[in-house]
Amino acid sequence: MRALIVIDMQNDFCPGGALAVTGGNEIVSPINQIMDEFDAIILTQDWHPAGHSSFASSHDASAFSFIEMPYGQQILWPDHCIQDSEGGQFHSGLNTKNADLILRKGYNPLIDSYSAFFENDHKTPTGLAGYLKTRKIKDLTFVGLATDYCVAYSALDAARLGYEVSVRTELCRAIDVEGSLEIALRDMRLTKVNLI
Ligand code: VGL
Ligand code: ZN
């Protein structure tokens, strides 16, 4: 069984949003178009409480600066994808009606959560692996935003967990701060993620 996992196609990651990814809106229709190639469609949704610890505003710091957290270094973001805000909603063009599962992440105020499998402490599971096991899904294709953060973290965890993993890079867009895209692509290649 094959699943398409669409990462964080939300208003705040699209042009005009709080953490806009260049070209984020361009991939909406092509993602809709490949949905019928898969046995299951899973959408993830970045879903932070106001005052989340990954927000620069929570630390009186500037956006895109770094801070040491109990689980390691954390880049600080502009406030984004706040629960129930317009910015947290899916892009209005995204086909959400075919979704089998909508997985929310980042709701723990003290831990950021890029990966669809684990929070950034690399220990706290989101429950996705259990869902996939129950549905006998072993082959995963990732698309969405952003290539170098939530897509890469999810694909890397998936490969380490033993899934067959592909990332359709033309259906992803990157934030690319301080070489993060190049690092993410290198790590994915080294971890046997198929970049297509
Ligand atoms: C993401 C930064 C902060 C992402 C989420 O979806 O890649 N990036 N929160
Ligand atoms: Zn976030």
Side-chain angles (χ1 to χ4, degrees), residues 8 10 13 19 46-48 52 54-55 74 77-78 80-81 105-106 112-114 150:
D8 299 359
Q10 294 163 260
F13 296 123
L19 180 42
D46 209 37
W47 199 245
H48 300 303
H52 191 259
S54 75
F55 296 168
Q74 164 79 45
W77 304 109
H80 66 278
C81 297
K105 61 184 181 61
D112 208 357
S113 190
Y114 298 149
C150 291

Side-chain angles (χ1 to χ4, degrees), residues 24-78:
N25 54 322
E26 297 165 3
I27 60 176
V28 175
S29 337
I31 289 174
N32 290 340
Q33 279 164 22
I34 64 165
M35 286 182 175
D36 59 11
E37 297 170 22
F38 295 86
D39 303 304
I41 307 291
I42 297 165
L43 310 179
T44 68
Q45 193 170 24
D46 209 37
W47 199 245
H48 300 303
H52 191 259
S53 59
S54 75
F55 296 168
S57 62
S58 307
H59 304 271
D60 260 326
S62 40
F64 306 105
S65 63
F66 290 84
I67 189 174
E68 211 45 56
M69 299 284 247
Y71 54 83
Q73 208 187 44
Q74 164 79 45
I75 181 166
L76 294 173
W77 304 109

Side-chain angles (χ1 to χ4, degrees), residues 60-105:
D60 260 326
S62 40
F64 306 105
S65 63
F66 290 84
I67 189 174
E68 211 45 56
M69 299 284 247
Y71 54 83
Q73 208 187 44
Q74 164 79 45
I75 181 166
L76 294 173
W77 304 109
D79 292 19
H80 66 278
C81 297
I82 293 176
Q83 294 169 354
D84 264 339
S85 69
E86 190 52 36
Q89 304 306 311
F90 289 114
H91 185 288
S92 60
L94 185 70
N95 179 351
T96 57
K97 74 176 195 301
N98 293 341
D100 296 44
L101 175 73
I102 294 177
L103 181 96
R104 288 174 169 168
K105 61 184 181 61

Side-chain angles (χ1 to χ4, degrees), residues 175-193:
I175 298 175
D176 203 13
V177 272
E178 299 189 23
S180 56
L181 177 59
E182 206 178 314
I183 294 166
L185 293 172
R186 186 202 62 197
D187 289 350
M188 287 194 280
R189 281 193 195 98
L190 288 172
T191 315
K192 304 217 176 352
V193 172

